[in-house]
């Protein structure tokens, strides 16, 4: 039996679909037949060549993609349950972590595996056994004894696809930032991360949620996801005016938590100035090397500011994210997040579309595309 893997050989270029033999899972491993994969902002960074420092220039038979869900095709010996102890059988829908904390180092022992300095990353060179190491392919080989969660029946695939990235990431980040009942939150950027953050913060008991973006479609969606105030960059064209707007909406104090979910470092100084004294800045957005900003350290000291920066999340967050989804399916229109679904064989077109939407900022579209592997 063979399965397809999408391979990128030139940045901003076409993908090539290659076939590889589908492996049998070793004891403890799981072979998953993927049904959906998402095109995330970070995948676009990779496709555009903005992460050459990491993946080489030119890319070396690059295969990637990290947002996905699928069905258990075959269970390795001794796998009988998911990470929450629920029985796991062939055919069950699952989601899983795409980075692999070692679980055996002094940082992991502190209890937050997101911080593991030895966490293994996905294999990104096509043709490396067990071949199915990323989201853009027919299968995924989940390495032995890794974290995996059964997807509740009521959560459709399109909603489940970004759970292992955006949703778990913001749920984890807001928890680490210490967001509490009654807090005010500013979300910079109402893209995939931002919209999920709004919905999660509402569920966590935030009192007032303010978001800032330029694209009208995203601002509408932000309100539907639970934002009290969706501010447009077109109405407030300068940082000074946006900072003042946040002050006005927080009784002059500034926000308890401000989260950068944009991905460009120039928003950070502005966001830091939106904090109340003693507030927390949550940095998640920037993942491209060389994203430099400058800020007055004395202003941080005088503002008693706390900065929390997060890459990835601890496995517990994925389990909680599924529970959050099940609880909020009726309240939040998660099904509006993915606007375009392309079959895997049209992956090149899907990337061009997703990228075009980002640059043009078409008000009528949402910038989320997904791939379908269903046959
Ligand atoms: Zn992602
Ligand atoms: Zn570790």
């Amino acid at each position: 039996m063979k399965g397809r893997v999408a391979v990128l050989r030139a940045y901003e270029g076409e993908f090539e679909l290659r076939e590889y033999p589908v492996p049998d899972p070793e004891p403890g491993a799981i072979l998953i037949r993927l049904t959906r994969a998402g095109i995330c902002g970070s995948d676009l960074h990779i496709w555009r060549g903005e992460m050459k420092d990491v993946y080489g220039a030119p890319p070396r038979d690059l295969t990637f993609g990290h947002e996905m869900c699928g069905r258990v095709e075959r269970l390795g010996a001794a796998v009988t349950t998911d990470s929450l102890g629920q029985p796991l059988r062939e055919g069950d829908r699952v989601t899983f972590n795409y980075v692999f904390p070692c679980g055996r180092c002094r940082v992991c022992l502190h209890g937050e595996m997101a911080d593991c300095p030895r966490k293994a990353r996905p294999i990104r060179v096509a043709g490396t056994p067990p071949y199915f190491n990323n989201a853009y392919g027919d299968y995924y080989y989940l390495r032995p004894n890794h974290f995996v969660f059964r997807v509740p029946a009521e959560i459709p695939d399109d909603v489940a696809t970004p759970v292992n990235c955006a949703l778990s990431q913001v749920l984890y980040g807001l928890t680490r930032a210490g967001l509490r009942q009654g807090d005010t939150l500013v979300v910079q950027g109402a893209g995939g991360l931002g919209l999920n953050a709004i919905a999660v913060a509402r569920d966590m008991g935030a009192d007032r949620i303010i978001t800032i973006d330029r694209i009208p479609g995203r601002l509408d969606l932000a309100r539907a996801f639970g934002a009290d105030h969706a501010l447009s960059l077109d109405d407030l064209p300068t940082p000074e005016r946006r900072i003042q707007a946040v002050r006005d909406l927080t009784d002059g104090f500034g926000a308890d938590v401000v989260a950068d979910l944009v991905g460009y470092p120039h928003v950070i100084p502005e966001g830091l100035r939106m904090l109340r004294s003693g507030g927390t800045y949550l940095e998640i957005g920037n993942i491209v090397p060389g994203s430099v900003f400058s800020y007055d350290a004395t202003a941080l000291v005088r503002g008693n500011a706390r900065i929390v920066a997060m890459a990835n999340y601890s496995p517990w967050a994925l389990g909680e994210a599924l529970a959050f989804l099940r609880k909020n399916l009726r309240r939040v229109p998660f099904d509006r997040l993915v606007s375009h679904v392309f079959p895997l064989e049209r992956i090149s077109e899907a990337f061009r579309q997703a990228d075009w939407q980002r640059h043009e900022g078409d008000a009528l579209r949402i910038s989320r595309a997904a791939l379908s592997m269903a046959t």
Side-chain angles (χ1 to χ4, degrees):
M1 190 167 62
K2 289 194 165 184
R4 301 167 300 168
V5 170
V7 183
L8 188 69
R9 299 187 59 202
Y11 292 121
E12 292 191 275
E14 301 280 307
F15 287 84
E16 184 183 309
L17 287 180
R18 291 194 198 154
E19 293 205 324
Y20 294 102
V22 179
D24 266 330
E26 66 205 286
I30 304 176
L31 179 69
I32 294 154
R33 179 86 166 93
L34 295 178
T35 50
R36 281 278 194 283
I39 298 177
C40 174
S42 59
D43 297 317
L44 288 168
H45 283 307
I46 295 173
W47 181 73
R48 290 189 206 115
E50 291 167 0
M51 297 180 71
K52 283 191 180 82
D53 292 4
V54 185
Y55 300 115
R60 188 171 153 234
D61 283 353
L62 185 63
T63 136
F64 58 108
H66 58 280
E67 296 184 358
M68 59 197 133
C69 69
R71 290 182 182 280
V72 173
E73 177 90 358
R74 248 170 291 153
L75 290 170
V79 185
T80 55
T81 68
D82 74 356
S83 296
L84 291 170
Q86 309 175 93
L88 199 59
R89 297 186 188 88
E90 288 175 3
D92 282 347
R93 293 189 312 137
V94 287
T95 179
F96 39 90
N97 299 60
Y98 60 88
V99 292
F100 313 96
C102 80
R104 300 179 78 84
C105 74
R106 47 182 302 224
V107 179
C108 281
L109 280 178
H110 277 275
E112 289 295 350
M113 292 189 183
D115 303 337
C116 176
R118 296 179 180 167
K119 61 191 161 199
R121 307 271 171 185
I123 299 165
R124 290 278 165 83
V125 180
T128 312
Y131 307 114
F132 300 93
N133 301 310
N134 294 279
Y136 303 146
D138 286 322
Y139 293 91
Y140 187 87
Y141 189 93
L142 191 67
R143 55 186 78 188
N145 310 316
H146 191 50
F147 299 95
V148 63
F149 299 86
R150 212 170 71 191
V151 177
E154 58 267 49
I155 301 175
D157 280 8
D158 280 332
V159 174
T161 302
V163 173
N164 74 340
C165 177
L167 181 56
S168 297
Q169 187 67 64
V170 297
L171 187 151
Y172 185 71
L174 289 170
T175 305
R176 286 282 294 258
L179 184 83
R180 293 193 308 185
Q181 162 76 35
D183 275 356
T184 52
L185 169 71
V186 171
V187 174
Q188 296 178 283
L193 284 167
L195 292 168
N196 278 299
I198 291 164
V200 168
R202 182 55 80 211
D203 191 62
M204 288 171 80
D207 176 43
R208 204 168 301 171
I209 303 171
I210 303 160
T211 190
I212 305 164
D213 203 288
R214 184 185 302 280
I215 302 174
R218 287 183 174 189
L219 293 169
D220 285 346
L221 212 46
R223 290 185 197 96
F225 271 59
D228 300 295
H229 305 280
L231 308 180
S232 168
L233 289 168
D234 289 335
D235 298 338
L236 301 166
T238 64
E240 296 305 328
R241 289 188 59 187
R242 296 191 284 273
I243 292 161
Q244 189 56 48
V246 169
R247 299 243 158 232
D248 292 345
L249 291 169
T250 52
D251 307 321
F253 284 99
D256 297 298
V257 178
V258 177
D260 164 25
L261 303 173
V262 175
Y264 293 102
H266 64 259
V267 307
I268 297 173
E270 173 179 335
L272 285 167
R273 291 176 60 203
M274 292 172 175
L275 284 178
R276 72 156 164 85
S277 179
T280 300
Y281 193 74
L282 174 61
E283 173 56 37
I284 290 178
N286 284 284
I287 55 159
V288 174
S291 300
V292 175
F293 70 97
S294 78
Y295 198 72
D296 181 350
T298 301
L300 292 178
V301 171
R302 289 197 173 157
N304 288 15
R306 200 164 71 104
I307 299 179
V308 173
M310 299 297 341
N312 311 129
Y313 51 87
S314 289
W316 64 258
L318 182 49
E320 302 253 321
L322 288 170
F324 159 82
L325 266 186
R326 189 167 34 72
K327 201 166 33 150
N328 288 280
L329 263 184
R330 285 205 190 81
R331 183 181 67 80
V332 181
F334 294 106
D335 55 335
R336 288 173 61 192
L337 273 181
V338 172
S339 57
H340 294 66
V341 179
F342 298 83
L344 180 62
E345 50 272 27
R346 286 168 59 200
I347 181 172
S348 302
E349 184 188 342
F351 266 77
R352 280 196 304 272
Q353 281 262 358
D355 198 44
W356 173 81
Q357 286 171 26
R358 186 186 179 95
H359 287 309
E360 301 295 314
D362 185 332
L364 299 175
R365 294 175 182 231
I366 311 304
S367 58
R368 245 343 195 218
L371 300 164
S372 163
M373 286 70 146
T375 47

